[in-house]
Amino acid sequence: MILEQPSFWLRWMFPRALWRMDKNDHSVYLTFDDGPIPEATPFILKTLRDFDAKATFFMVGDNVRKYPHLFRQVVEEGHQVGNHTYNHLGGLKHLAKTYINNTKKANDLIGAHLFRPPHGVMTLTEYYWLLRKYNIVMWDLVTRDYSRRMTANDVVENVRTYTRNGSIITFHDSLKSIDKLHTALPASLRWLCEQGYAFKVFE
């Protein structure tokens, strides 16, 4: 639970970010970070179609530059898109000006009003600047599909254990996660459907 759900101090530091949606609404918000890439995005899109589910893709600008057809496909299939910086920058490793300019560069391609910081971290200067332009979307549950220590079954178990009304669930559209997602994503979506959750995207 320490890794799968956000800590109190992180939520306290960024109180105007979205961590969880309406706790009285039996719905979840699927999100995918780091894409689009040809090795993962087409499978994710097919699986979402199979379950009639919509999601929000937080995209890396350089990947959008390299694979514009995948960006267009995500949009054309009715999914939402968000900004995840141009080069997947860590907010604590760069000057605020560098980070903000990198985010602007990504948004020239993505045109998003949603933002998620890579690794979920940013400085307070970056946070307050970003709030002027974006809705900052964090998470209620990180599936940890990127971790080499996790199996596909572990990822599904995280979904089953920590999902609740209004959960913002984070998967990854990446090379690190795709082998597990081939099993874990359809299994997770099947379970969510069995529990009666609706799939929603951010406005």
Side-chain angles (χ1 to χ4, degrees):
M1 184 173 179
I2 294 175
L3 295 176
E4 287 80 7
Q5 294 191 303
S7 64
F8 169 80
W9 72 264
L10 198 58
R11 288 182 280 117
W12 175 83
M13 185 175 292
F14 305 124
R16 292 172 60 189
L18 298 176
W19 295 95
R20 181 187 178 190
M21 303 304 281
D22 187 353
K23 65 181 180 180
N24 297 309
D25 184 12
H26 197 56
S27 61
V28 294
Y29 292 71
L30 303 172
T31 67
F32 294 86
D33 289 1
D34 301 348
I37 59 170
E39 297 87 348
T41 310
F43 170 79
I44 292 169
L45 289 174
K46 178 186 182 304
T47 305
L48 292 171
R49 285 197 304 272
D50 290 344
F51 288 88
D52 194 25
K54 294 293 185 277
T56 302
F57 288 75
F58 288 94
M59 296 185 171
V60 172
D62 195 41
N63 285 340
V64 173
R65 177 191 64 81
K66 290 186 286 189
Y67 310 113
H69 63 291
L70 291 177
F71 171 79
R72 289 193 298 270
Q73 184 179 356
V74 169
V75 173
E76 289 168 359
E77 295 196 16
H79 303 288
Q80 184 60 275
V81 295
N83 187 330
H84 204 47
T85 76
Y86 192 85
N87 298 109
H88 201 265
L89 291 192
L92 303 183
K93 297 180 179 180
H94 300 272
L95 294 174
K97 181 178 180 181
T98 301
Y99 190 81
I100 290 165
N101 286 341
N102 195 268
T103 301
K104 286 180 177 178
K105 184 177 180 180
N107 222 45
D108 288 342
L109 295 172
I110 301 168
H113 66 284
L114 304 171
F115 178 80
R116 174 176 283 166
H119 313 295
V121 295
M122 55 193 153
T123 66
L124 288 176
T125 298
E126 292 158 358
Y127 167 67
Y128 284 114
W129 186 90
L130 291 162
L131 280 174
R132 295 163 54 192
K133 184 173 181 62
Y134 302 96
N135 291 329
I136 298 175
V137 180
M138 301 298 258
W139 66 90
D140 185 52
L141 163 60
V142 174
T143 63
R144 297 183 63 209
D145 53 350
Y146 56 83
S147 174
R148 282 183 271 183
R149 297 183 179 182
M150 304 289 286
T151 68
N153 288 337
D154 292 332
V155 172
V156 177
E157 190 57 31
N158 279 340
V159 173
R160 293 168 63 97
T161 300
Y162 298 111
T163 296
R164 54 187 177 170
N165 285 357
S167 280
I168 300 171
I169 303 174
T170 299
F171 294 95
H172 290 79
D173 183 5
S174 70
L175 293 174
K176 289 182 179 180
S177 66
I178 188 57
D179 286 346
K180 287 186 281 290
L181 286 188
H182 279 126
T183 299
L185 185 57
S188 296
L189 296 185
R190 188 174 301 110
W191 181 84
L192 291 166
C193 288
E194 290 169 353
Q195 303 308 305
Y197 285 105
F199 300 111
K200 292 189 175 181
V201 298
F202 304 97
E203 297 297 329

